[in-house]
C-alpha cells in the first residue's frame, strides 16, 4: 500500500493558525506583542529571500517585526553593537542574524553575542547545552529539528520506544534531532542511532528504523530496500539537481531532490515527507513558535 504523504505545507499552515490565535490572545489579555528582528548583512539573493519569508510570516501572525538591513562592509564591531542594541530592546523577543555573514566577520562571535533568551534560532552554546540537559532547562528547540518532531507527532507516530535512525550528524539537523528524540518526554523517548560517513553498514541501520530521519545532503542516498515496511520516513535533504522553466512564470526554477528516492520509497514506507513541501515549510514556522514562546517567558506566562 502506498505511504501516507506527510505534508509540511499543511502542518505548517495549521501551526501558524494556532500561533496567530495565541498572538492575538497575548495582545488582548496581556498587552504583549511578540517582537522579532531579522538582521541581514549584504545582498546575497538567497539570504534576502529567506529573510523576506521570515518577515512575511511574522507580519501575518501580527508580530512586531523589524528587518534591519546592513551593508556588506559593516564592521564586526558595529554588528556586535547592533546585536547588543536588540538584546536590550524590551519590544524584541527574538533576534535572528541571517547567515552566512561576510568573510571579515566572525560568525561564531556574532551568534554568541545574542542574548540566549532571545536566541530563537537556538544556535547559542547556552541553548545547545540546555537542549542536551533537557526537561525544564530547554527554552527553545532549534527550528528544523523542532519541525521534524512536530511532523512525526502530528502524523500520529508513536515515538516512545521507537527505533529512530538519524542519517547525518550536523549541528543544525542531525545532532539536535537525535538529542530531541532521546529525551524522556512526550513526542520523544525513542531509542536513537546516528549514522554518518564513518558508519560501516548504513543499510543495516536504516532497515531497523521505525522512524528514519535523513539529513545527509546526498540526492537519493537512501534506497527503497533500506526502508522497513510501514516506517515513518522524514526526508530533510534539499538537493538542487538542475533547473526547469516554470510554466507559470516562464523563469528558470531549481529542480529539487531529497535524500530519499521518494517515488520508490512511498511504496514501502507507512508515511513519508515529500521534497519540496515536507520539512522545508516547518522551519520558519518553528522560528515563529519560538518567538511567541520567548515573548510569553519574558512576561512570566507559562
Ligand atoms: P551537512 O552539514 O553537510 O551534514 C551532512 C551530514 O550527513 C554529515 O554528518 C555527513 O557525515 C552525513 N553524510 C553525508 N553523506 C553521507 C553518506 N554518504 N553516508 C552517511 N552519512 C553521510 O548538512 P546539513 O546542514 O545537516 O543538511 C543536510 C540536508 O538537509 C541538506 O540537503 C540541506 O539542504 C537540508 N536541510 C534542509 C533544511 C530545511 O528543509 N529546512 C534545513 C537544514 C538542512 P559526516 O559528518 O561524516 O561528514
Amino acid at each position: 500500500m502506498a505511504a501516507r504523504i506527510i505534508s509540511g505545507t499543511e502542518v505548517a499552515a495549521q501551526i501558524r493558525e494556532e500561533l496567530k490565535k495565541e498572538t492575538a490572545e497575548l495582545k488582548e489579555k496581556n498587552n504583549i506583542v511578540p517582537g522579532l528582528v531579522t538582521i541581514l548583512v549584504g545582498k546575497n539573493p538567497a539570504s534576502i529571500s529567506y529573510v523576506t519569508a521570515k518577515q512575511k510570516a511574522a507580519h501575518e501572525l501580527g508580530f512586531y517585526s523589524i528587518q534591519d538591513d546592513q551593508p556588506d562592509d559593516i564592521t564586526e564591531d558595529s554588528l556586535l553593537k547592533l546585536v547588543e542594541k536588540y538584546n536590550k530592546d524590551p519590544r524584541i523577543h527574538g533576534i535572528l542574524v541571517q547567515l552566512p555573514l561576510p568573510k571579515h566577520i566572525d560568525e561564531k562571535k556574532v551568534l554568541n553575542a545574542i542574548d540566549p533568551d532571545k536566541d530563537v534560532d537556538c544556535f547559542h552554546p547556552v541553548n545547545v547545552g540546555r537542549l542536551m540537559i533537557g526537561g525544564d532547562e530547554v527554552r527553545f528547540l532549534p527550528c528544523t529539528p523542532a519541525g521534524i518532531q512536530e511532523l512525526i507527532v502530528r502524523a500520529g507516530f508513536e515515538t516512545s520506544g521507537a527505533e529512530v535512525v538519524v542519517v547525518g550528524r550536523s549541528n543544525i539537523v542531525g545532532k539536535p534531532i537525535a538529542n530531541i528524540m532521546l529525551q524522556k518526554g512526550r513526542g520523544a523517548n525513542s531509542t536513537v542511532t546516528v549514522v554518518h560517513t564513518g558508519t560501516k553498514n548504513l543499510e543495516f541501520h536504516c532497515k531497523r528504523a521505525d522512524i528514519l530521519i535523513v539529513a545527509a545532503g546526498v540526492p537519493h542516498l537512501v534506497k527503497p530496500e533500506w526502508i522497513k515496511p510501514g516506517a515513518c520516513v522524514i526526508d530533510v535533504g534539499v538537493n538542487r539537481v538542475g533547473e526547469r522553466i516554470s510554466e507559470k512564470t516562464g523563469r528558470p526554477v531549481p529542480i529539487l531532490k531529497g535524500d530519499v528516492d521518494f517515488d520508490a520509497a512511498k511504496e514501502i514506507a507507512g508515511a513519508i515527507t515529500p521534497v519540496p513541501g515536507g520539512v522545508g515549510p516547518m522551519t520558519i514556522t518553528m522560528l515563529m513558535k519560538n518567538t511567541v514562546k520567548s515573548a510569553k517567558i519574558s512576561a512570566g506566562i507559562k
Side-chain angles (χ1 to χ4, degrees):
M1 203 173 82
R4 192 152 43 94
I5 308 304
I6 305 174
S7 166
T9 310
E10 281 171 22
V11 176
Q14 195 183 331
I15 297 173
R16 285 192 197 193
E17 272 313 305
E18 292 164 13
L19 290 174
K20 202 169 175 179
K21 238 170 112 187
E22 210 176 339
T23 303
E25 271 176 27
L26 271 176
K27 197 170 178 180
E28 201 180 300
K29 292 189 188 150
N30 308 88
N31 201 24
I32 298 163
V33 179
L36 175 72
V37 60
T38 49
I39 301 174
L40 173 68
V41 178
K43 293 198 172 351
N44 176 329
S47 296
I48 292 174
S49 87
Y50 294 141
V51 164
T52 306
K54 288 164 191 173
Q55 280 297 324
K56 185 169 172 273
H59 183 74
E60 283 170 3
L61 296 182
F63 289 10
Y64 168 66
S65 61
I66 301 174
Q67 177 164 341
D68 194 328
D69 293 333
Q70 295 294 326
D72 232 342
D73 59 355
I74 185 174
T75 64
E76 185 179 279
D77 200 41
S78 303
L79 188 56
L80 289 170
K81 282 194 179 118
L82 189 67
V83 168
E84 194 46 36
K85 183 182 96 170
Y86 290 119
N87 279 344
K88 289 187 182 138
D89 186 340
R91 293 168 304 176
I92 294 295
H93 307 101
I95 301 172
L96 182 135
V97 178
Q98 187 63 47
L99 301 180
L101 292 171
K103 288 207 166 56
H104 67 278
I105 296 175
D106 182 346
E107 265 180 18
K108 220 191 253 174
K109 211 166 164 184
V110 174
L111 294 181
N112 291 358
I114 296 172
D115 178 347
D117 290 346
K118 295 189 179 188
D119 168 40
V120 283
D121 242 352
C122 201
F123 286 158
H124 195 289
V126 166
N127 286 319
V128 176
R130 284 171 171 166
L131 174 58
M132 191 81 184
I133 296 165
D136 292 346
E137 289 288 335
V138 179
R139 193 167 182 115
F140 307 119
L141 291 179
C143 303
T144 299
I148 295 170
Q149 186 189 32
E150 284 280 352
L151 288 177
I152 297 168
V153 171
R154 289 183 188 233
F157 274 83
E158 178 56 80
T159 57
S160 185
E163 291 284 343
V164 170
V165 175
V166 180
V167 183
R169 57 176 162 190
S170 72
N171 288 327
I172 297 179
V173 189
K175 280 185 206 158
I177 188 60
N179 212 339
I180 288 171
M181 297 310 293
L182 69 78
Q183 298 296 335
K184 200 167 186 171
R186 265 192 66 244
N189 207 28
S190 311
T191 303
V192 181
T193 305
V194 182
V195 298
H196 42 76
T197 58
T199 300
K200 284 198 181 115
N201 189 340
L202 215 55
E203 179 177 354
F204 165 79
H205 291 287
C206 291
K207 261 185 181 159
R208 291 190 302 107
D210 300 313
I211 298 171
L212 179 62
I213 301 167
V214 192
V218 179
H220 292 190
L221 171 70
V222 172
K223 311 292 172 239
E225 59 273 21
W226 296 13
I227 294 166
K228 181 172 172 178
C232 172
V233 179
I234 306 290
D235 188 354
V236 191
V238 180
N239 307 291
R240 276 173 178 247
V241 292
E243 265 185 359
R244 64 178 177 84
I245 301 298
S246 160
E247 278 176 24
K248 255 193 202 165
T249 63
R251 291 207 202 117
V253 286
I255 300 173
L256 302 177
K257 263 193 188 168
D259 288 352
V260 179
D261 180 350
F262 178 83
D263 289 332
K266 77 176 185 336
E267 300 304 323
I268 298 161
I272 187 167
T273 56
V275 176
V279 176
M282 294 297 289
T283 301
I284 293 182
T285 302
M286 301 320 283
L287 179 77
M288 301 301 132
K289 191 169 180 178
N290 279 346
T291 307
V292 171
K293 185 174 185 193
S294 179
K296 286 169 87 173
I297 295 174
S298 76
I301 303 165
K302 285 231 166 177

